[in-house]
Amino acid sequence: MSAPLLVVENLAKRYRLSREHLFAAAPEVQALEGVSFTLQPGRSLGVVGESGSGKSTLARLVMALEGPSAGRVVLDGRDLHALAPADLRRARALMQMVFQDPYGSLDPRRSVLQTVAEPLAILQGAGCAEQRDRAAEALDAVGLRSADLAKYPHEFSGGQRQRIAIARALITRPKLIVADEPVSALDVSVQAQVLNLMQELRERYAVSYLFISHDLAVVDRVCDEVVVLWQGRIVERGAPERLFRDPQHPYTRRLLAAVPGMPQNPPPHPQGDLR
């Protein structure tokens, strides 16, 4: 087996809250604690859990948008949070992100060309001609036309905007794409189209996905392996065909029971039994 593309090792994140009064110690909240997993090249790992489970915090730490309180994130053999700023900037070409909201993630004042080519210009210093050529190639890969480069986000539907966001993520030819709830804001029919596209792109470009979602049915469809986060800790992991058909942890059972159409297992344990 090849070396892992991504290694997350004992990752923890604590946030300090505001003091209740001047002389009180500032309280802390533990968003992540002891999170560890690996992701192989060309594979897709799903991270599921309810709101507040730590999914988006994990995404920010993997993308080195925030620093961990403890632990490491190693991408392609390099500890991201130990890199000098210039080295981290170069490493960012290997990892890109697709956000949840296709309406909020695109600047309405910037053309599609400016939006899609921006990572290429900032991270790789590409000239104007290369930016246009690579942006047109990326749009073609996601099922849009090169003529769309001159348009603006308001001229596209939600599903098309998310395709533009995926094109922007692809343009540096990354090894890892972190997809944070990438279809939750889309209609169900459009969700299927975007998920199919992401599957096709994974096979074509051998890109790996860290796919973060609260929707177990979506993760079941696109991921090779799944980890379940609860209160900042991984409580269960495995292939989706095993984990979603024979869940061992009561929290996973509770998640499954809340999803229409998913295989039903023994009834979820009461809240007090989640441990």
Short mmCIF file of all heavy atoms in Angstrom, two decimals, residues 128-167:
data_model
loop_
_atom_site.label_atom_id
_atom_site.label_comp_id
_atom_site.label_asym_id
_atom_site.label_seq_id
_atom_site.Cartn_x
_atom_site.Cartn_y
_atom_site.Cartn_z
N CYS A 128 -1.46 35.65 -17.35
CA CYS A 128 -2.85 35.80 -17.78
C CYS A 128 -3.28 34.73 -18.78
O CYS A 128 -4.38 34.19 -18.69
CB CYS A 128 -3.06 37.19 -18.37
SG CYS A 128 -2.91 38.53 -17.16
N ALA A 129 -2.40 34.43 -19.75
CA ALA A 129 -2.77 33.45 -20.77
C ALA A 129 -2.94 32.07 -20.16
O ALA A 129 -3.90 31.35 -20.47
CB ALA A 129 -1.70 33.42 -21.87
N GLU A 130 -2.01 31.69 -19.26
CA GLU A 130 -2.13 30.39 -18.60
C GLU A 130 -3.36 30.33 -17.72
O GLU A 130 -4.06 29.31 -17.66
CB GLU A 130 -0.89 30.08 -17.78
CG GLU A 130 -0.93 28.70 -17.15
CD GLU A 130 0.29 28.37 -16.30
OE1 GLU A 130 1.21 29.22 -16.24
OE2 GLU A 130 0.31 27.28 -15.70
N GLN A 131 -3.66 31.44 -17.04
CA GLN A 131 -4.85 31.48 -16.19
C GLN A 131 -6.10 31.21 -17.02
O GLN A 131 -6.97 30.42 -16.63
CB GLN A 131 -4.96 32.84 -15.51
CG GLN A 131 -3.96 33.09 -14.40
CD GLN A 131 -4.15 34.45 -13.77
OE1 GLN A 131 -5.28 34.89 -13.55
NE2 GLN A 131 -3.06 35.14 -13.48
N ARG A 132 -6.21 31.87 -18.17
CA ARG A 132 -7.41 31.69 -19.00
C ARG A 132 -7.49 30.26 -19.52
O ARG A 132 -8.56 29.64 -19.51
CB ARG A 132 -7.40 32.70 -20.15
CG ARG A 132 -8.57 32.52 -21.12
CD ARG A 132 -8.65 33.65 -22.12
NE ARG A 132 -9.17 34.86 -21.48
CZ ARG A 132 -10.45 35.13 -21.32
NH1 ARG A 132 -11.38 34.26 -21.73
NH2 ARG A 132 -10.83 36.25 -20.76
N ASP A 133 -6.37 29.73 -20.01
CA ASP A 133 -6.39 28.37 -20.56
C ASP A 133 -6.75 27.34 -19.50
O ASP A 133 -7.57 26.45 -19.73
CB ASP A 133 -5.01 28.04 -21.16
CG ASP A 133 -4.73 28.82 -22.43
OD1 ASP A 133 -5.67 29.38 -23.00
OD2 ASP A 133 -3.55 28.87 -22.84
N ARG A 134 -6.14 27.46 -18.32
CA ARG A 134 -6.41 26.50 -17.25
C ARG A 134 -7.83 26.65 -16.71
O ARG A 134 -8.48 25.66 -16.35
CB ARG A 134 -5.38 26.66 -16.14
CG ARG A 134 -3.94 26.31 -16.53
CD ARG A 134 -3.61 24.86 -16.26
NE ARG A 134 -3.60 24.55 -14.84
CZ ARG A 134 -2.54 24.72 -14.05
NH1 ARG A 134 -1.40 25.21 -14.52
NH2 ARG A 134 -2.61 24.39 -12.77
N ALA A 135 -8.33 27.89 -16.65
CA ALA A 135 -9.70 28.11 -16.19
C ALA A 135 -10.70 27.51 -17.16
O ALA A 135 -11.70 26.90 -16.75
CB ALA A 135 -9.97 29.61 -15.99
N ALA A 136 -10.44 27.66 -18.46
CA ALA A 136 -11.33 27.07 -19.46
C ALA A 136 -11.31 25.55 -19.36
O ALA A 136 -12.35 24.89 -19.47
CB ALA A 136 -10.91 27.52 -20.86
N GLU A 137 -10.13 24.98 -19.11
CA GLU A 137 -10.01 23.53 -18.94
C GLU A 137 -10.77 23.06 -17.71
O GLU A 137 -11.45 22.02 -17.75
CB GLU A 137 -8.53 23.17 -18.81
CG GLU A 137 -8.24 21.70 -18.61
CD GLU A 137 -6.77 21.43 -18.36
OE1 GLU A 137 -5.93 22.27 -18.73
OE2 GLU A 137 -6.45 20.37 -17.78
N ALA A 138 -10.68 23.83 -16.62
CA ALA A 138 -11.38 23.46 -15.39
C ALA A 138 -12.89 23.54 -15.57
O ALA A 138 -13.64 22.67 -15.09
CB ALA A 138 -10.93 24.36 -14.23
N LEU A 139 -13.37 24.57 -16.27
CA LEU A 139 -14.81 24.68 -16.52
C LEU A 139 -15.30 23.52 -17.37
O LEU A 139 -16.38 22.97 -17.12
CB LEU A 139 -15.13 26.00 -17.22
CG LEU A 139 -15.20 27.27 -16.37
CD1 LEU A 139 -15.86 28.39 -17.16
CD2 LEU A 139 -15.94 27.06 -15.06
N ASP A 140 -14.53 23.15 -18.37
CA ASP A 140 -14.91 22.01 -19.22
C ASP A 140 -15.00 20.73 -18.37
O ASP A 140 -15.90 19.92 -18.58
CB ASP A 140 -13.89 21.85 -20.34
CG ASP A 140 -14.23 20.67 -21.24
OD1 ASP A 140 -15.22 20.74 -21.98
OD2 ASP A 140 -13.48 19.66 -21.19
N ALA A 141 -14.08 20.58 -17.42
CA ALA A 141 -14.07 19.38 -16.58
C ALA A 141 -15.33 19.27 -15.73
O ALA A 141 -15.76 18.16 -15.40
CB ALA A 141 -12.84 19.38 -15.68
N VAL A 142 -15.94 20.41 -15.37
CA VAL A 142 -17.13 20.38 -14.52
C VAL A 142 -18.42 20.55 -15.32
O VAL A 142 -19.49 20.75 -14.75
CB VAL A 142 -17.05 21.44 -13.40
CG1 VAL A 142 -15.84 21.20 -12.52
CG2 VAL A 142 -17.05 22.86 -13.96
N GLY A 143 -18.32 20.49 -16.65
CA GLY A 143 -19.53 20.52 -17.47
C GLY A 143 -20.03 21.90 -17.84
O GLY A 143 -21.19 22.04 -18.25
N LEU A 144 -19.17 22.92 -17.73
CA LEU A 144 -19.53 24.26 -18.18
C LEU A 144 -18.69 24.62 -19.40
O LEU A 144 -17.81 23.88 -19.81
CB LEU A 144 -19.31 25.27 -17.04
CG LEU A 144 -20.19 25.06 -15.81
CD1 LEU A 144 -19.81 26.03 -14.70
CD2 LEU A 144 -21.66 25.20 -16.14
N ARG A 145 -18.96 25.81 -19.99
CA ARG A 145 -18.31 26.19 -21.25
C ARG A 145 -17.29 27.28 -21.02
O ARG A 145 -17.41 28.07 -20.08
CB ARG A 145 -19.36 26.67 -22.26
CG ARG A 145 -20.46 25.66 -22.56
CD ARG A 145 -21.56 26.33 -23.38
NE ARG A 145 -22.12 27.47 -22.65
CZ ARG A 145 -22.83 28.44 -23.21
NH1 ARG A 145 -23.06 28.42 -24.51
NH2 ARG A 145 -23.31 29.44 -22.48
N SER A 146 -16.31 27.36 -21.91
CA SER A 146 -15.31 28.42 -21.79
C SER A 146 -15.95 29.80 -21.95
O SER A 146 -15.46 30.79 -21.40
CB SER A 146 -14.20 28.23 -22.82
OG SER A 146 -14.74 28.24 -24.14
N ALA A 147 -17.08 29.88 -22.68
CA ALA A 147 -17.78 31.16 -22.83
C ALA A 147 -18.30 31.67 -21.50
O ALA A 147 -18.57 32.87 -21.35
CB ALA A 147 -18.93 31.00 -23.82
N ASP A 148 -18.46 30.78 -20.52
CA ASP A 148 -18.95 31.19 -19.20
C ASP A 148 -17.92 31.96 -18.40
O ASP A 148 -18.25 32.53 -17.36
CB ASP A 148 -19.39 29.96 -18.40
CG ASP A 148 -20.61 29.28 -19.00
OD1 ASP A 148 -21.47 30.00 -19.54
OD2 ASP A 148 -20.70 28.04 -18.93
N LEU A 149 -16.67 32.00 -18.85
CA LEU A 149 -15.61 32.69 -18.11
C LEU A 149 -15.91 34.18 -17.94
O LEU A 149 -15.50 34.80 -16.95
CB LEU A 149 -14.26 32.51 -18.80
CG LEU A 149 -13.64 31.11 -18.74
CD1 LEU A 149 -12.41 31.04 -19.63
CD2 LEU A 149 -13.27 30.77 -17.30
N ALA A 150 -16.61 34.76 -18.91
CA ALA A 150 -16.87 36.20 -18.87
C ALA A 150 -18.11 36.55 -18.05
O ALA A 150 -18.38 37.74 -17.81
CB ALA A 150 -17.03 36.74 -20.29
N LYS A 151 -18.84 35.55 -17.59
CA LYS A 151 -20.08 35.81 -16.86
C LYS A 151 -19.81 36.02 -15.37
O LYS A 151 -18.69 35.87 -14.89
CB LYS A 151 -21.05 34.64 -17.05
CG LYS A 151 -21.50 34.45 -18.50
CD LYS A 151 -22.46 33.28 -18.62
CE LYS A 151 -22.93 33.07 -20.05
NZ LYS A 151 -23.85 31.91 -20.17
N TYR A 152 -20.90 36.35 -14.64
CA TYR A 152 -20.81 36.61 -13.20
C TYR A 152 -21.74 35.64 -12.46
O TYR A 152 -22.67 35.08 -13.04
CB TYR A 152 -21.18 38.06 -12.91
CG TYR A 152 -20.09 39.03 -13.34
CD1 TYR A 152 -19.97 39.42 -14.66
CD2 TYR A 152 -19.15 39.49 -12.41
CE1 TYR A 152 -18.96 40.27 -15.07
CE2 TYR A 152 -18.13 40.36 -12.80
CZ TYR A 152 -18.04 40.74 -14.13
OH TYR A 152 -17.02 41.57 -14.51
N PRO A 153 -21.48 35.42 -11.16
CA PRO A 153 -22.23 34.40 -10.42
C PRO A 153 -23.75 34.52 -10.51
O PRO A 153 -24.44 33.50 -10.53
CB PRO A 153 -21.73 34.58 -8.97
CG PRO A 153 -20.33 35.07 -9.14
CD PRO A 153 -20.38 35.97 -10.34
N HIS A 154 -24.29 35.75 -10.57
CA HIS A 154 -25.74 35.89 -10.57
C HIS A 154 -26.38 35.31 -11.84
O HIS A 154 -27.61 35.14 -11.89
CB HIS A 154 -26.14 37.37 -10.42
CG HIS A 154 -25.86 38.20 -11.65
ND1 HIS A 154 -24.66 38.85 -11.85
CD2 HIS A 154 -26.62 38.47 -12.74
CE1 HIS A 154 -24.70 39.50 -13.00
NE2 HIS A 154 -25.88 39.28 -13.56
N GLU A 155 -25.59 35.00 -12.85
CA GLU A 155 -26.11 34.47 -14.09
C GLU A 155 -26.24 32.95 -14.08
O GLU A 155 -26.61 32.34 -15.09
CB GLU A 155 -25.21 34.89 -15.26
CG GLU A 155 -25.09 36.40 -15.42
CD GLU A 155 -24.17 36.80 -16.56
OE1 GLU A 155 -24.54 36.54 -17.73
OE2 GLU A 155 -23.09 37.36 -16.28
N PHE A 156 -25.97 32.32 -12.93
CA PHE A 156 -25.96 30.86 -12.85
C PHE A 156 -26.91 30.37 -11.76
O PHE A 156 -27.20 31.08 -10.79
CB PHE A 156 -24.55 30.35 -12.54
CG PHE A 156 -23.54 30.68 -13.60
CD1 PHE A 156 -22.81 31.86 -13.54
CD2 PHE A 156 -23.33 29.82 -14.66
CE1 PHE A 156 -21.88 32.17 -14.51
CE2 PHE A 156 -22.39 30.12 -15.64
CZ PHE A 156 -21.66 31.30 -15.57
N SER A 157 -27.36 29.13 -11.92
CA SER A 157 -28.17 28.47 -10.89
C SER A 157 -27.27 28.02 -9.74
O SER A 157 -26.03 28.06 -9.84
CB SER A 157 -28.88 27.27 -11.49
OG SER A 157 -27.92 26.27 -11.85
N GLY A 158 -27.88 27.55 -8.65
CA GLY A 158 -27.11 27.07 -7.51
C GLY A 158 -26.19 25.92 -7.87
O GLY A 158 -25.02 25.87 -7.45
N GLY A 159 -26.71 24.96 -8.64
CA GLY A 159 -25.89 23.82 -9.03
C GLY A 159 -24.74 24.24 -9.91
O GLY A 159 -23.62 23.72 -9.79
N GLN A 160 -24.97 25.18 -10.83
CA GLN A 160 -23.89 25.68 -11.69
C GLN A 160 -22.85 26.44 -10.87
O GLN A 160 -21.65 26.33 -11.14
CB GLN A 160 -24.47 26.57 -12.78
CG GLN A 160 -25.27 25.82 -13.83
CD GLN A 160 -25.99 26.76 -14.78
OE1 GLN A 160 -26.46 27.84 -14.39
NE2 GLN A 160 -26.08 26.36 -16.04
N ARG A 161 -23.30 27.18 -9.89
CA ARG A 161 -22.33 27.90 -9.03
C ARG A 161 -21.45 26.92 -8.28
O ARG A 161 -20.25 27.16 -8.11
CB ARG A 161 -23.09 28.79 -8.04
CG ARG A 161 -23.79 29.96 -8.66
CD ARG A 161 -24.35 30.88 -7.60
NE ARG A 161 -25.28 31.85 -8.15
CZ ARG A 161 -25.66 32.95 -7.53
NH1 ARG A 161 -25.22 33.21 -6.32
NH2 ARG A 161 -26.50 33.79 -8.10
N GLN A 162 -22.04 25.82 -7.82
CA GLN A 162 -21.20 24.85 -7.12
C GLN A 162 -20.22 24.18 -8.09
O GLN A 162 -19.10 23.84 -7.70
CB GLN A 162 -22.07 23.80 -6.41
CG GLN A 162 -21.37 23.07 -5.28
CD GLN A 162 -20.94 23.95 -4.13
OE1 GLN A 162 -20.27 24.97 -4.30
NE2 GLN A 162 -21.32 23.56 -2.92
N ARG A 163 -20.60 24.02 -9.34
CA ARG A 163 -19.66 23.53 -10.34
C ARG A 163 -18.50 24.51 -10.53
O ARG A 163 -17.33 24.10 -10.70
CB ARG A 163 -20.37 23.29 -11.68
CG ARG A 163 -21.31 22.08 -11.67
CD ARG A 163 -22.10 21.98 -12.96
NE ARG A 163 -23.04 20.86 -12.91
CZ ARG A 163 -22.80 19.65 -13.41
NH1 ARG A 163 -21.64 19.40 -14.02
NH2 ARG A 163 -23.70 18.69 -13.31
N ILE A 164 -18.81 25.79 -10.51
CA ILE A 164 -17.76 26.81 -10.60
C ILE A 164 -16.83 26.71 -9.39
O ILE A 164 -15.59 26.80 -9.53
CB ILE A 164 -18.38 28.22 -10.70
CG1 ILE A 164 -19.14 28.37 -12.02
CG2 ILE A 164 -17.31 29.31 -10.57
CD1 ILE A 164 -20.01 29.60 -12.11
N ALA A 165 -17.40 26.52 -8.21
CA ALA A 165 -16.58 26.37 -7.01
C ALA A 165 -15.68 25.14 -7.10
O ALA A 165 -14.52 25.17 -6.66
CB ALA A 165 -17.47 26.29 -5.77
N ILE A 166 -16.20 24.06 -7.67
CA ILE A 166 -15.39 22.85 -7.85
C ILE A 166 -14.29 23.10 -8.88
O ILE A 166 -13.14 22.65 -8.70
CB ILE A 166 -16.28 21.67 -8.25
CG1 ILE A 166 -17.23 21.31 -7.11
CG2 ILE A 166 -15.44 20.46 -8.63
CD1 ILE A 166 -18.32 20.32 -7.49
N ALA A 167 -14.60 23.84 -9.93
CA ALA A 167 -13.58 24.19 -10.93
C ALA A 167 -12.46 24.99 -10.28
O ALA A 167 -11.27 24.78 -10.58
CB ALA A 167 -14.22 24.97 -12.08
#
